[in-house]
Amino acid sequence: MTNDPIRVLAVDDSRTVRRMIELTLERAGIHATVAEDGIDGLDRLGAMDAPPDVVITDINMPRLDGFGFIERVRGGDRHADVPILVLTTEDAPDLKRRARAAGAKGWIVKPFDPPRLVGALRAVAGR
């Protein structure tokens, strides 16, 4: 087990949600990099020195939605094994199945409970 902070990439088109995620994770000692949509998320992911421990993504976003983002991350070599959690206002079972089929490990409905989000991130990061 490492003492390094957990590194998270959070992808969401809402500036407010990105800021809430940043503040929540910062308070928990988790390092967050944020992106505004799937395209920006792929760019930031590619620019990271080390892979994040966990990726969080929204589903409904412009340019590249969460499903496309997950599929592109899973389709590459470098980040194919990074756990991905979906954080969205959606809760339909068919969307959850689609996200899992694309490669997501979990689903959290907004608005999120900060301790629950941090707990989920620590669980999937193994810390």
Side-chain angles (χ1 to χ4, degrees):
M1 193 181 244
T2 179
N3 287 331
D4 292 336
I6 295 171
R7 293 175 318 279
V8 173
L9 171 64
V11 184
D12 198 296
D13 61 319
S14 166
R15 183 183 318 221
T16 302
V17 171
R18 287 193 309 269
R19 188 65 187 137
M20 288 172 45
I21 291 170
E22 281 181 307
L23 290 172
T24 296
L25 300 187
E26 180 181 291
R27 288 181 187 136
I30 297 172
H31 175 74
T33 299
V34 295
E36 62 187 37
D37 61 30
I39 297 293
D40 188 33
L42 292 172
D43 290 345
R44 291 185 188 269
L45 192 60
M48 295 176 90
D49 292 335
D53 297 297
V54 183
V55 171
I56 303 169
T57 185
D58 189 11
I59 290 297
N60 299 313
M61 298 181 289
R63 298 200 307 162
L64 181 63
D65 69 9
F67 296 118
F69 173 75
I70 294 167
E71 290 166 358
R72 298 264 301 266
V73 171
R74 290 290 178 247
D77 292 332
R78 185 169 179 219
H79 303 101
D81 296 329
V82 173
I84 299 174
L85 295 177
V86 173
L87 178 64
T88 183
T89 57
E90 304 287 345
D91 68 352
D94 61 318
L95 296 178
K96 290 178 185 180
R97 281 190 296 276
R98 184 174 169 200
R100 286 205 185 273
K105 299 287 185 209
W107 189 279
I108 299 170
V109 177
K110 294 179 200 171
F112 65 89
D113 175 57
R116 187 168 171 218
L117 177 62
V118 169
L121 290 171
R122 290 191 190 287
V124 297
R127 304 199 229 161

